[in-house]
Coordinates of all heavy atoms in Angstrom, one line a residue:
M234 N 0.8 -1.2 0.0 CA 0.0 0.0 0.0 C 0.9 1.2 0.0 O 2.0 1.2 0.4 CB -0.9 0.0 1.3 CG -0.1 0.4 2.5 SD -0.8 -0.4 3.9 CE -0.3 -2.1 3.7
H235 N 0.3 2.3 -0.4 CA 1.2 3.5 -0.4 C 1.3 4.1 1.1 O 0.5 3.8 1.9 CB 0.8 4.6 -1.4 CG -0.7 4.6 -1.8 ND1 -1.5 5.4 -1.2 CD2 -1.3 4.0 -2.7 CE1 -2.7 5.3 -1.7 NE2 -2.6 4.4 -2.7
E236 N 2.3 4.9 1.2 CA 2.6 5.3 2.6 C 1.5 5.9 3.3 O 1.3 5.6 4.5 CB 3.8 6.3 2.5 CG 5.1 5.6 2.4 CD 6.2 6.6 1.9 OE1 6.2 7.7 2.4 OE2 7.0 6.2 1.0
L237 N 0.8 6.8 2.7 CA -0.3 7.5 3.4 C -1.4 6.5 3.9 O -2.1 6.8 4.8 CB -0.9 8.6 2.5 CG 0.0 9.8 2.3 CD1 -0.7 10.9 1.6 CD2 0.6 10.3 3.7
H238 N -1.5 5.4 3.2 CA -2.5 4.4 3.7 C -2.1 4.0 5.1 O -3.0 3.7 5.9 CB -2.4 3.2 2.8 CG -3.3 3.3 1.6 ND1 -3.1 2.4 0.6 CD2 -4.2 4.2 1.2 CE1 -4.0 2.7 -0.4 NE2 -4.7 3.8 0.0
L239 N -0.9 4.1 5.4 CA -0.4 3.6 6.7 C -0.6 4.6 7.9 O -0.7 4.2 9.0 CB 1.1 3.3 6.7 CG 1.5 2.1 5.9 CD1 3.0 2.1 5.7 CD2 1.1 0.8 6.6
I240 N -0.8 5.8 7.5 CA -0.9 6.8 8.6 C -2.2 7.5 8.7 O -2.3 8.6 9.1 CB 0.2 7.9 8.4 CG1 0.1 8.5 7.0 CG2 1.6 7.3 8.6 CD1 1.0 9.7 6.8
T241 N -3.2 6.7 8.3 CA -4.6 7.3 8.3 C -5.1 7.2 9.8 O -6.2 7.7 10.0 CB -5.5 6.6 7.4 OG1 -5.4 5.2 7.4 CG2 -5.3 7.1 6.0
G242 N -4.4 6.5 10.7 CA -4.8 6.6 12.0 C -6.0 5.7 12.4 O -6.6 5.9 13.4
V243 N -6.2 4.7 11.6 CA -7.3 3.8 11.9 C -6.8 2.6 12.7 O -5.8 2.0 12.5 CB -7.9 3.2 10.6 CG1 -9.0 2.2 10.9 CG2 -8.4 4.3 9.8
E244 N -7.5 2.4 13.9 CA -7.1 1.4 14.8 C -7.6 0.0 14.5 O -6.9 -1.0 14.8 CB -7.5 1.7 16.2 CG -7.2 3.1 16.7 CD -5.7 3.3 17.1 OE1 -5.1 2.2 17.3 OE2 -5.2 4.4 17.0
D245 N -8.7 -0.1 13.9 CA -9.3 -1.3 13.7 C -8.6 -2.1 12.6 O -8.6 -1.8 11.4 CB -10.8 -1.1 13.2 CG -11.5 -2.4 13.0 OD1 -10.9 -3.5 13.1 OD2 -12.7 -2.3 12.8
E246 N -7.9 -3.2 13.0 CA -7.1 -3.9 12.1 C -7.9 -4.7 11.1 O -7.5 -4.8 9.9 CB -6.3 -5.0 12.9 CG -5.1 -4.2 13.5 CD -4.0 -5.2 13.9 OE1 -3.9 -6.3 13.3 OE2 -3.1 -4.8 14.7
S247 N -9.0 -5.2 11.4 CA -9.8 -6.0 10.5 C -10.2 -5.1 9.3 O -10.3 -5.5 8.1 CB -11.1 -6.6 11.1 OG -11.9 -5.5 11.6
E248 N -10.4 -3.9 9.6 CA -10.8 -2.9 8.5 C -9.7 -2.7 7.6 O -9.9 -2.3 6.4 CB -11.3 -1.6 9.2 CG -12.0 -0.7 8.2 CD -12.4 0.6 8.9 OE1 -12.4 0.7 10.1 OE2 -12.7 1.5 8.2
L249 N -8.5 -2.9 8.1 CA -7.3 -2.6 7.2 C -6.7 -3.8 6.7 O -5.6 -3.7 6.0 CB -6.3 -1.8 8.1 CG -6.7 -0.3 8.3 CD1 -5.8 0.4 9.2 CD2 -6.8 0.4 6.9
S250 N -7.1 -5.0 7.0 CA -6.4 -6.2 6.7 C -6.3 -6.3 5.1 O -5.4 -7.0 4.6 CB -7.1 -7.4 7.2 OG -8.4 -7.5 6.7
W251 N -7.2 -5.8 4.4 CA -7.1 -5.9 3.0 C -5.9 -5.2 2.4 O -5.4 -5.5 1.4 CB -8.4 -5.2 2.3 CG -8.6 -3.8 2.6 CD1 -9.3 -3.4 3.7 CD2 -8.0 -2.7 2.0 NE1 -9.2 -2.0 3.7 CE2 -8.4 -1.5 2.7 CE3 -7.1 -2.5 0.9 CZ2 -8.1 -0.2 2.3 CZ3 -6.8 -1.2 0.5 CH2 -7.2 -0.1 1.3
Q252 N -5.4 -4.3 3.2 CA -4.2 -3.5 2.7 C -3.0 -4.4 2.6 O -2.0 -4.1 1.9 CB -3.9 -2.3 3.6 CG -5.0 -1.3 3.5 CD -4.6 0.0 4.1 OE1 -3.6 0.2 4.7 NE2 -5.4 1.1 3.9
E253 N -3.0 -5.5 3.3 CA -1.8 -6.4 3.2 C -1.7 -7.1 1.8 O -0.7 -7.6 1.4 CB -2.0 -7.6 4.3 CG -1.6 -7.1 5.6 CD -2.1 -8.0 6.7 OE1 -2.3 -9.2 6.4 OE2 -2.3 -7.6 7.8
R254 N -2.9 -7.0 1.1 CA -2.9 -7.7 -0.2 C -2.9 -6.6 -1.3 O -3.1 -6.9 -2.5 CB -4.1 -8.5 -0.4 CG -4.0 -9.8 0.4 CD -5.2 -10.7 0.3 NE -6.3 -10.1 1.0 CZ -7.6 -10.0 0.6 NH1 -7.9 -10.5 -0.6 NH2 -8.5 -9.5 1.3
S255 N -2.7 -5.4 -0.9 CA -2.7 -4.3 -1.9 C -1.4 -4.4 -2.8 O -0.3 -4.6 -2.4 CB -2.7 -2.9 -1.2 OG -1.5 -2.7 -0.6
L256 N -1.8 -4.2 -4.1 CA -0.7 -4.3 -5.1 C 0.2 -3.1 -5.1 O 1.4 -3.2 -5.4 CB -1.4 -4.4 -6.5 CG -0.5 -5.0 -7.6 CD1 -0.1 -6.3 -7.2 CD2 -1.4 -5.0 -8.9
C257 N -0.3 -2.0 -4.7 CA 0.6 -0.7 -4.7 C 1.7 -0.8 -3.7 O 2.7 0.0 -3.8 CB -0.2 0.5 -4.6 SG -1.4 0.5 -3.2
A258 N 1.6 -1.7 -2.7 CA 2.7 -1.9 -1.8 C 4.0 -2.3 -2.5 O 5.0 -2.0 -2.0 CB 2.3 -3.0 -0.8
Q259 N 3.8 -2.9 -3.6 CA 5.0 -3.3 -4.3 C 5.5 -2.4 -5.4 O 6.3 -2.6 -6.2 CB 4.8 -4.7 -5.0 CG 4.4 -5.7 -4.0 CD 3.5 -6.8 -4.7 OE1 3.7 -7.1 -5.9 NE2 2.5 -7.3 -4.0
T260 N 4.8 -1.2 -5.5 CA 5.2 -0.2 -6.5 C 5.6 1.1 -5.9 O 5.7 1.3 -4.7 CB 3.9 0.0 -7.4 OG1 2.9 0.6 -6.7 CG2 3.4 -1.3 -8.0
D261 N 5.8 2.0 -6.8 CA 6.3 3.4 -6.4 C 5.1 4.1 -5.8 O 4.1 4.5 -6.4 CB 6.7 4.1 -7.7 CG 7.1 5.5 -7.4 OD1 7.2 5.9 -6.2 OD2 7.3 6.3 -8.4
P262 N 5.2 4.4 -4.5 CA 4.0 5.1 -3.8 C 3.8 6.5 -4.4 O 2.7 7.0 -4.3 CB 4.5 5.2 -2.4 CG 5.9 4.9 -2.3 CD 6.3 4.1 -3.6
E263 N 4.8 7.1 -4.9 CA 4.6 8.5 -5.4 C 3.6 8.6 -6.6 O 3.0 9.5 -6.8 CB 6.0 9.1 -5.8 CG 6.7 9.5 -4.6 CD 8.0 10.1 -4.9 OE1 8.2 10.6 -6.1 OE2 8.9 10.1 -4.1
A264 N 3.5 7.4 -7.3 CA 2.5 7.4 -8.5 C 1.2 7.6 -8.0 O 0.3 8.1 -8.7 CB 2.7 6.1 -9.3
F265 N 0.9 7.3 -6.7 CA -0.4 7.3 -6.2 C -0.8 8.7 -5.6 O -2.0 8.9 -5.3 CB -0.7 6.2 -5.2 CG -0.7 4.9 -5.8 CD1 0.5 4.2 -6.1 CD2 -1.9 4.3 -6.2 CE1 0.4 2.9 -6.7 CE2 -2.0 3.1 -6.8 CZ -0.8 2.4 -7.1
F266 N 0.2 9.5 -5.5 CA -0.1 10.8 -5.0 C 0.6 11.9 -5.9 O 1.6 12.5 -5.5 CB 0.4 11.0 -3.6 CG -0.4 10.1 -2.6 CD1 0.1 8.9 -2.2 CD2 -1.6 10.6 -2.1 CE1 -0.6 8.1 -1.4 CE2 -2.3 9.8 -1.2 CZ -1.8 8.5 -0.8
P267 N 0.1 11.9 -7.1 CA 0.7 12.8 -8.1 C 0.6 14.3 -7.7 O -0.4 14.7 -7.0 CB 0.0 12.5 -9.4 CG -1.3 11.9 -8.9 CD -1.1 11.3 -7.7
E268 N 1.5 15.1 -8.1 CA 1.4 16.5 -8.0 C 0.1 17.0 -8.7 O -0.4 16.3 -9.6 CB 2.6 17.2 -8.7 CG 3.9 16.9 -8.1 CD 4.1 17.5 -6.7 OE1 3.8 18.7 -6.7 OE2 4.5 16.8 -5.8
K269 N -0.4 18.1 -8.3 CA -1.6 18.7 -9.0 C -1.4 18.7 -10.5 O -0.3 19.3 -10.9 CB -1.8 20.1 -8.5 CG -3.3 20.4 -8.2 CD -3.5 21.7 -7.7 CE -4.9 22.1 -7.9 NZ -5.8 22.0 -7.0
G270 N -2.3 18.1 -11.2 CA -2.2 18.1 -12.6 C -1.3 17.0 -13.2 O -1.2 16.8 -14.3
G271 N -0.7 16.3 -12.2 CA 0.2 15.2 -12.7 C -0.6 14.0 -13.2 O -1.8 13.9 -13.0
S272 N 0.1 13.1 -13.8 CA -0.5 11.9 -14.4 C -1.0 10.9 -13.3 O -0.2 10.6 -12.4 CB 0.4 11.3 -15.4 OG -0.2 10.1 -15.9
T273 N -2.1 10.4 -13.5 CA -2.6 9.3 -12.6 C -2.7 8.0 -13.3 O -3.1 7.0 -12.8 CB -4.1 9.7 -12.1 OG1 -4.9 9.8 -13.3 CG2 -4.1 10.9 -11.3
R274 N -2.1 8.0 -14.5 CA -2.3 6.8 -15.4 C -1.6 5.6 -14.8 O -2.1 4.5 -14.8 CB -1.8 7.1 -16.8 CG -2.5 6.3 -17.9 CD -1.9 6.5 -19.2 NE -1.8 7.9 -19.5 CZ -0.8 8.4 -20.2 NH1 0.1 7.7 -20.7 NH2 -0.7 9.7 -20.4
E275 N -0.3 5.8 -14.3 CA 0.5 4.7 -13.9 C -0.2 4.1 -12.6 O -0.3 2.9 -12.5 CB 1.9 5.2 -13.5 CG 2.8 5.4 -14.6 CD 2.8 4.3 -15.7 OE1 3.0 3.1 -15.2 OE2 2.6 4.5 -16.9
A276 N -0.7 4.9 -11.7 CA -1.3 4.3 -10.5 C -2.6 3.6 -10.9 O -2.8 2.5 -10.4 CB -1.7 5.5 -9.6
K277 N -3.4 4.1 -11.8 CA -4.6 3.5 -12.2 C -4.4 2.1 -12.8 O -5.1 1.2 -12.7 CB -5.4 4.4 -13.1 CG -6.1 5.5 -12.4 CD -6.8 6.4 -13.4 CE -7.4 7.6 -12.7 NZ -8.0 8.5 -13.6
K278 N -3.2 2.1 -13.5 CA -2.9 0.8 -14.2 C -2.7 -0.3 -13.1 O -3.0 -1.4 -13.3 CB -1.6 1.0 -15.1 CG -1.9 0.8 -16.5 CD -0.6 0.6 -17.3 CE 0.0 1.9 -17.7 NZ 1.3 1.8 -18.3
V279 N -2.0 0.1 -12.1 CA -1.7 -0.8 -11.0 C -3.0 -1.3 -10.4 O -3.3 -2.4 -10.1 CB -0.8 -0.2 -10.0 CG1 -0.5 -1.2 -8.8 CG2 0.6 0.2 -10.6
C280 N -3.9 -0.3 -10.1 CA -5.2 -0.6 -9.5 C -6.0 -1.6 -10.2 O -6.7 -2.5 -9.6 CB -6.0 0.6 -9.2 SG -5.2 1.8 -8.1
V281 N -5.9 -1.6 -11.5 CA -6.7 -2.4 -12.4 C -6.4 -3.9 -12.0 O -7.3 -4.8 -12.0 CB -6.5 -2.2 -13.9 CG1 -7.0 -3.3 -14.7 CG2 -7.1 -0.8 -14.3
G282 N -5.2 -4.2 -11.7 CA -4.8 -5.5 -11.4 C -4.8 -5.9 -9.9 O -4.3 -7.0 -9.5
C283 N -5.3 -5.0 -9.1 CA -5.2 -5.2 -7.7 C -6.4 -6.0 -7.2 O -7.6 -5.6 -7.5 CB -5.2 -3.8 -7.0 SG -5.2 -3.9 -5.2
E284 N -6.2 -7.0 -6.3 CA -7.3 -7.8 -5.9 C -8.2 -7.2 -4.9 O -9.2 -7.7 -4.5 CB -6.8 -9.2 -5.5 CG -5.9 -9.2 -4.3 CD -5.6 -10.5 -3.7 OE1 -6.5 -11.2 -3.3 OE2 -4.4 -10.9 -3.7
V285 N -7.7 -6.2 -4.2 CA -8.5 -5.5 -3.1 C -9.0 -4.2 -3.6 O -9.3 -3.3 -2.8 CB -7.7 -5.4 -1.9 CG1 -7.3 -6.8 -1.3 CG2 -6.4 -4.6 -2.1
R286 N -9.1 -4.0 -4.9 CA -9.5 -2.7 -5.4 C -10.9 -2.2 -4.8 O -11.1 -1.1 -4.4 CB -9.7 -2.8 -6.9 CG -10.0 -1.5 -7.6 CD -9.9 -1.6 -9.0 NE -10.5 -0.5 -9.7 CZ -10.6 -0.3 -11.0 NH1 -10.3 -1.3 -11.8 NH2 -11.2 0.8 -11.4
Q287 N -11.8 -3.2 -4.7 CA -13.1 -2.8 -4.2 C -13.0 -2.3 -2.7 O -13.6 -1.3 -2.4 CB -14.1 -4.0 -4.3 CG -15.6 -3.7 -4.1 CD -16.1 -2.6 -5.1 OE1 -15.7 -2.7 -6.3 NE2 -16.9 -1.7 -4.7
Q288 N -12.3 -3.1 -2.0 CA -12.2 -2.7 -0.5 C -11.5 -1.4 -0.4 O -11.9 -0.6 0.5 CB -11.4 -3.8 0.2 CG -12.1 -5.1 0.5 CD -11.7 -6.1 -0.6 OE1 -11.7 -5.8 -1.7 NE2 -11.4 -7.3 -0.1
C289 N -10.5 -1.2 -1.2 CA -9.7 0.1 -1.2 C -10.6 1.3 -1.5 O -10.6 2.3 -0.8 CB -8.6 -0.1 -2.2 SG -7.6 1.4 -2.3
L290 N -11.4 1.1 -2.5 CA -12.3 2.2 -3.0 C -13.3 2.5 -1.8 O -13.6 3.6 -1.5 CB -13.0 1.9 -4.3 CG -13.9 2.9 -4.8 CD1 -13.2 4.2 -5.1 CD2 -14.5 2.4 -6.1
E291 N -13.9 1.4 -1.3 CA -14.9 1.6 -0.2 C -14.3 2.2 1.0 O -14.9 3.1 1.6 CB -15.5 0.2 0.1 CG -16.6 -0.2 -0.8 CD -17.0 -1.6 -0.7 OE1 -16.7 -2.2 0.3 OE2 -17.7 -2.1 -1.6
Y292 N -13.1 1.9 1.3 CA -12.4 2.5 2.4 C -12.2 4.0 2.2 O -12.5 4.8 3.1 CB -11.1 1.8 2.6 CG -10.2 2.4 3.7 CD1 -10.4 1.9 5.0 CD2 -9.3 3.4 3.5 CE1 -9.7 2.5 6.1 CE2 -8.6 4.0 4.5 CZ -8.8 3.6 5.8 OH -8.1 4.1 6.8
A293 N -11.8 4.3 1.0 CA -11.5 5.7 0.7 C -12.8 6.5 0.8 O -12.8 7.7 1.3 CB -10.8 5.9 -0.6
L294 N -13.8 6.0 0.3 CA -15.1 6.7 0.3 C -15.6 6.8 1.7 O -16.1 7.9 2.1 CB -16.1 5.9 -0.6 CG -15.9 5.9 -2.1 CD1 -16.9 5.0 -2.8 CD2 -15.9 7.3 -2.7
A295 N -15.5 5.7 2.5 CA -16.0 5.8 3.8 C -15.3 6.7 4.7 O -15.8 7.4 5.7 CB -16.0 4.4 4.4
H296 N -14.0 6.9 4.4 CA -13.1 7.7 5.3 C -12.9 9.1 4.6 O -12.1 9.9 5.1 CB -11.8 7.1 5.6 CG -12.0 5.9 6.5 ND1 -12.3 4.6 6.0 CD2 -11.8 5.8 7.8 CE1 -12.5 3.8 7.0 NE2 -12.1 4.4 8.1
D297 N -13.5 9.3 3.5 CA -13.4 10.6 2.9 C -12.0 11.1 2.6 O -11.5 12.2 2.9 CB -14.0 11.7 3.8 CG -14.9 12.6 3.1 OD1 -15.1 12.4 1.9 OD2 -15.5 13.5 3.7
E298 N -11.2 10.1 2.1 CA -9.8 10.4 1.8 C -9.8 11.4 0.6 O -10.5 11.3 -0.4 CB -9.2 9.1 1.2 CG -8.9 8.1 2.3 CD -7.9 8.5 3.3 OE1 -7.1 9.4 3.0 OE2 -7.8 7.9 4.4
R299 N -9.0 12.4 0.9 CA -9.0 13.6 -0.1 C -7.9 13.4 -1.1 O -8.0 13.9 -2.2 CB -8.8 14.9 0.7 CG -10.0 15.2 1.6 CD -11.2 15.7 0.7 NE -12.4 15.4 1.5 CZ -13.1 16.3 2.0 NH1 -12.9 17.6 1.9 NH2 -14.2 16.0 2.7
F300 N -6.9 12.8 -0.8 CA -5.7 12.8 -1.7 C -5.3 11.5 -2.2 O -5.4 10.5 -1.5 CB -4.5 13.5 -1.0 CG -4.8 14.9 -0.5 CD1 -5.0 15.1 0.9 CD2 -4.9 15.9 -1.4 CE1 -5.2 16.3 1.3 CE2 -5.1 17.2 -0.9 CZ -5.4 17.4 0.5
G301 N -4.9 11.5 -3.4 CA -4.3 10.3 -4.0 C -5.3 9.4 -4.7 O -6.5 9.6 -4.7
I302 N -4.7 8.4 -5.3 CA -5.5 7.4 -6.1 C -5.9 6.3 -5.1 O -5.0 5.7 -4.5 CB -4.7 6.8 -7.2 CG1 -4.1 7.9 -8.1 CG2 -5.6 5.9 -8.1 CD1 -5.1 8.8 -8.8
W303 N -7.1 6.0 -5.0 CA -7.6 4.9 -4.2 C -8.6 4.0 -5.1 O -9.5 4.6 -5.7 CB -8.4 5.4 -3.0 CG -7.5 6.0 -2.0 CD1 -7.0 7.3 -2.1 CD2 -7.1 5.6 -0.7 NE1 -6.3 7.7 -1.0 CE2 -6.3 6.6 -0.1 CE3 -7.3 4.4 0.0 CZ2 -5.7 6.5 1.2 CZ3 -6.7 4.3 1.2 CH2 -5.9 5.3 1.8
G304 N -8.3 2.7 -5.1 CA -9.3 1.9 -5.8 C -9.4 2.2 -7.3 O -10.4 2.0 -7.9
G305 N -8.4 2.8 -7.9 CA -8.3 3.2 -9.2 C -9.0 4.5 -9.6 O -9.1 4.8 -10.7
L306 N -9.5 5.2 -8.6 CA -10.2 6.5 -8.8 C -9.4 7.6 -8.3 O -8.8 7.5 -7.1 CB -11.6 6.4 -8.3 CG -12.6 5.5 -8.9 CD1 -13.9 5.7 -8.3 CD2 -12.6 5.5 -10.4
S307 N -9.4 8.7 -9.0 CA -8.7 9.9 -8.5 C -9.7 10.6 -7.5 O -10.9 10.2 -7.4 CB -8.4 10.9 -9.6 OG -9.6 11.3 -10.2
E308 N -9.1 11.6 -6.8 CA -9.9 12.4 -5.9 C -11.2 12.9 -6.6 O -12.3 12.8 -6.1 CB -9.1 13.5 -5.4 CG -9.7 14.4 -4.4 CD -8.9 15.7 -4.2 OE1 -7.8 15.8 -4.7 OE2 -9.5 16.6 -3.6
R309 N -11.0 13.5 -7.8 CA -12.2 14.1 -8.4 C -13.2 13.0 -8.8 O -14.4 13.2 -8.7 CB -11.7 14.7 -9.7 CG -12.8 15.7 -10.3 CD -12.3 16.6 -11.3 NE -10.9 16.6 -11.6 CZ -10.4 16.4 -12.9 NH1 -11.2 16.3 -13.9 NH2 -9.1 16.4 -13.1
E310 N -12.7 11.8 -9.3 CA -13.6 10.8 -9.7 C -14.4 10.2 -8.5 O -15.6 9.8 -8.6 CB -12.8 9.7 -10.4 CG -12.3 10.1 -11.7 CD -11.2 9.2 -12.3 OE1 -10.6 8.4 -11.4 OE2 -11.0 9.1 -13.5
R311 N -13.7 10.1 -7.4 CA -14.4 9.7 -6.1 C -15.5 10.7 -5.7 O -16.6 10.3 -5.3 CB -13.4 9.5 -5.0 CG -12.5 8.3 -5.2 CD -11.9 7.9 -3.9 NE -11.2 8.9 -3.2 CZ -9.9 9.3 -3.5 NH1 -9.3 8.7 -4.5 NH2 -9.3 10.3 -2.8
R312 N -15.2 11.9 -5.9 CA -16.2 12.9 -5.5 C -17.5 12.8 -6.4 O -18.6 12.9 -5.8 CB -15.6 14.3 -5.7 CG -15.9 15.2 -4.5 CD -15.4 16.6 -4.6 NE -14.0 16.7 -4.8 CZ -13.3 17.5 -5.6 NH1 -14.0 18.2 -6.5 NH2 -12.0 17.5 -5.7
K313 N -17.2 12.6 -7.6 CA -18.3 12.4 -8.6 C -19.2 11.2 -8.2 O -20.4 11.2 -8.2 CB -17.8 12.1 -10.0 CG -17.9 13.4 -10.9 CD -17.7 13.0 -12.3 CE -16.4 13.6 -12.9 NZ -16.0 13.0 -14.1
L314 N -18.5 10.1 -7.8 CA -19.1 8.8 -7.4 C -20.0 9.1 -6.2 O -21.1 8.6 -6.1 CB -18.0 7.8 -7.1 CG -18.5 6.4 -7.1 CD1 -18.9 5.9 -8.4 CD2 -17.3 5.5 -6.5
K315 N -19.5 9.8 -5.3 CA -20.2 10.1 -4.0 C -21.5 10.9 -4.3 O -22.5 10.6 -3.8 CB -19.3 10.9 -3.1 CG -18.6 10.0 -2.1 CD -18.3 10.8 -0.9 CE -18.1 9.8 0.3 NZ -17.5 10.5 1.5
K316 N -21.4 11.9 -5.2 CA -22.5 12.7 -5.5 C -23.6 11.9 -6.0 O -24.8 12.1 -5.8 CB -22.1 13.8 -6.5 CG -21.9 15.1 -5.9 CD -21.9 16.2 -6.9 CE -20.8 17.2 -6.5 NZ -20.2 17.9 -7.7
R317 N -23.2 10.9 -6.9 CA -24.2 10.1 -7.6 C -24.9 9.2 -6.6 O -26.1 8.9 -6.6 CB -23.6 9.3 -8.6 CG -24.2 9.5 -10.0 CD -23.5 8.6 -11.0 NE -22.1 8.9 -11.3 CZ -21.2 8.0 -11.6 NH1 -21.5 6.8 -11.7 NH2 -20.0 8.4 -11.8
A318 N -24.1 8.8 -5.5 CA -24.7 7.9 -4.5 C -25.6 8.5 -3.6 O -26.5 7.9 -3.0 CB -23.5 7.2 -3.8
V319 N -25.5 9.8 -3.4 CA -26.3 10.5 -2.4 C -27.8 10.7 -3.0 O -27.9 10.9 -4.1 CB -25.8 11.8 -2.0 CG1 -26.6 12.5 -0.9 CG2 -24.3 11.7 -1.6
Ligands
SF4_625 S1 -6.7 -0.5 -5.6 FE1 -4.9 0.7 -6.2 S2 -4.6 2.1 -4.5 FE2 -6.0 0.6 -3.7 S3 -4.7 -1.0 -2.8 FE3 -5.0 -1.6 -4.9 S4 -3.3 -0.8 -6.0 FE4 -3.4 0.3 -4.1

């Protein structure tokens, strides 16, 4: 998982156990937190092959994660998804 996943301050381990299987743990974490306007393509490519993509996305939505790529979606894409869900 990328570094910021580790410091979100969540105590409940079961909620985070999926992160042990995250594919981005084996890749460049910086790709998941691109500079403003930077490319998200590399990160999204990794997410496509990640077996915990669904859990990751749900986690990010539930915790209102603002930065980075989670579950293959950028911050903006997650916001859109949320709006549709409400
Ligand atoms: S879906 Fe993407 S961001 Fe989430 S754990 Fe998998 S590789 Fe990482």
